[in-house]
Amino acid sequence: MTIDLALTDLLTLSDSGRWHRAACRGDPNHEAWFPYPSQDFEYARRICAGCPLLAGCTEYAARTGQSGVWGGREYDRGRVIRE
C-alpha cells in the first residue's frame, strides 16, 4: 500500500503556519513515516532529529491523536508507542 500524502497534507490549515519549515516536508519516502510494528523507523528519526519543529510536532501528534512518526517518535492515535 502506498501513501501519497505529504506530512503537510495531514495538517489542518489552522495549524500549518510554520509547517513549511518541517524537515520532512516533501519527503518522498512516505512509508518511512508510517512503519509497520516490525519495521525500524531510524530513517524518520534521523530526519526529525534535525528539524526545527521537533517539539511542536510531538505536541501536535499527542494533542490531535495522530498515528505514525512525529517528532522522532511513533504514535498510535496520539499515544507514544515507540521512541
Side-chain angles (χ1 to χ4, degrees):
M1 176 179 178
T2 301
I3 299 171
D4 291 326
L5 296 174
L7 178 62
T8 53
D9 293 332
L10 301 174
L11 305 172
T12 61
L13 291 175
S14 63
D15 287 327
S16 64
R18 296 179 312 183
W19 292 102
H20 69 281
R21 295 177 28 220
C24 59
R25 182 169 185 248
D27 186 273
N29 191 1
H30 304 293
E31 292 83 19
W33 303 97
F34 301 94
Y36 290 106
S38 62
Q39 287 180 305
D40 182 25
F41 60 104
E42 180 58 33
Y43 172 84
R45 280 197 304 246
R46 194 170 54 248
I47 300 291
C48 292
C51 185
L53 304 179
L54 183 75
C57 190
T58 57
E59 187 275 324
Y60 176 84
R63 180 173 45 86
T64 61
Q66 299 299 317
S67 293
V69 179
W70 295 79
R73 298 175 177 159
E74 186 178 8
Y75 287 82
D76 181 22
R77 290 171 267 171
R79 293 178 27 199
V80 175
I81 58 174
R82 290 195 290 175
E83 296 209 33

